[in-house]
Amino acid sequence: IIVAQKCVCMDYMKKNIEINIEKNIERAKEIIKIVQRKLMHEDSAVMEVFDLLKPVAVANDILLESDGNNLFFNAENLIDCYKEHKLQDLERRYMHILLHGILGHFTEREGYMHKDIIDVVFDFQIENIMRLLNKTKTCNLDNCRVMYEKIKNNKGLISAETISKIHQDEHGLW
């Protein structure tokens, strides 16, 4: 009888966990819609692009990432960010992803041998556009500029540590 009760209890707990996960995924998708509506309000030209990225919940420790076809998100991280009143950060992150897509970075990257370097160039482009769009909270733009100048002028090698300081998104998903 005790074993049967433990099994019933375990099944109940497992179902509750699954229900909570599903609820969090739905909450996260609603947050994505809020971000989309806010961005659409600011610039209606991006409306058509939203439908191109299918939201996909993942267990990876990410916030928002994309491969050009899907918008990957970790529901818990997204909800936590939203709860911390960081809607502007979510908007900026989403716009960053959209701009990579609009500029063709998801597919263009394949033609380059040194993907870490082209990733820096792509992020440099995005950061400059974000600044022009008045999304002024730039992450590592000064580092991007220094790296871009080194690449442009062929002055020395760039360390993996320096490259890792610049990226705010996971280009490896492309």
Side-chain angles (χ1 to χ4, degrees):
I1 294 175
I2 293 174
V3 173
Q5 286 177 336
K6 281 185 179 181
C7 287
V8 169
C9 186
M10 293 298 285
D11 286 342
Y12 177 77
M13 287 173 47
K14 186 177 175 184
K15 284 180 186 177
N16 272 344
I17 290 170
E18 290 171 3
I19 289 169
N20 286 337
I21 290 170
E22 287 302 316
K23 283 183 180 178
N24 280 347
I25 290 171
E26 290 309 311
R27 284 186 195 122
K29 286 181 179 180
E30 284 302 314
I31 292 168
I32 290 170
K33 288 179 185 175
I34 291 168
V35 171
Q36 289 175 335
R37 282 192 296 272
K38 179 83 166 88
L39 290 173
M40 283 189 291
H41 178 70
E42 291 176 10
D43 185 358
S44 59
V46 297
M47 287 186 341
E48 294 177 23
V49 182
F50 292 139
D51 292 333
L52 300 177
L53 297 175
K54 177 186 170 203
V56 177
V58 295
N60 303 31
D61 189 22
I62 62 169
L63 186 58
L64 287 173
E65 299 294 341
S66 182
D67 63 357
N69 296 311
N70 301 294
L71 180 66
F72 300 108
F73 65 92
N74 178 293
E76 288 181 28
N77 290 347
L78 199 62
I79 292 167
D80 288 346
C81 188
Y82 184 75
K83 282 180 179 177
E84 293 170 12
H85 306 289
K86 295 182 179 179
L87 184 60
Q88 187 176 11
D89 291 350
L90 291 173
E91 292 170 23
R92 191 174 191 295
R93 181 78 208 102
Y94 200 104
M95 183 60 83
H96 185 101
I97 291 167
L98 290 176
L99 287 170
H100 273 308
I102 290 167
L103 295 174
H105 292 171
F106 294 117
T107 54
E108 186 180 335
R109 183 175 185 262
E110 288 307 308
Y112 292 93
M113 186 167 74
H114 299 287
K115 294 193 183 356
D116 53 349
I117 294 173
I118 200 61
D119 287 346
V120 170
V121 172
F122 286 164
D123 278 342
F124 180 74
Q125 289 174 332
I126 298 297
E127 290 301 320
N128 276 323
I129 292 169
M130 296 292 280
R131 184 172 277 183
L132 291 172
L133 293 172
N134 220 11
K135 303 284 185 195
T136 55
K137 186 183 174 197
T138 55
C139 301
N140 305 314
L141 183 58
D142 292 331
N143 288 342
C144 269
R145 189 171 282 116
V146 168
M147 295 255 317
Y148 182 74
E149 289 301 317
K150 282 184 178 182
I151 293 166
K152 191 169 95 177
N153 299 322
N154 292 320
K155 291 183 180 176
L157 297 174
I158 301 164
S159 71
E161 180 184 346
T162 305
I163 289 170
S164 70
K165 289 178 186 176
I166 291 173
H167 291 301
Q168 61 178 338
D169 53 344
E170 181 54 58
H171 293 185
L173 293 171
W174 304 358

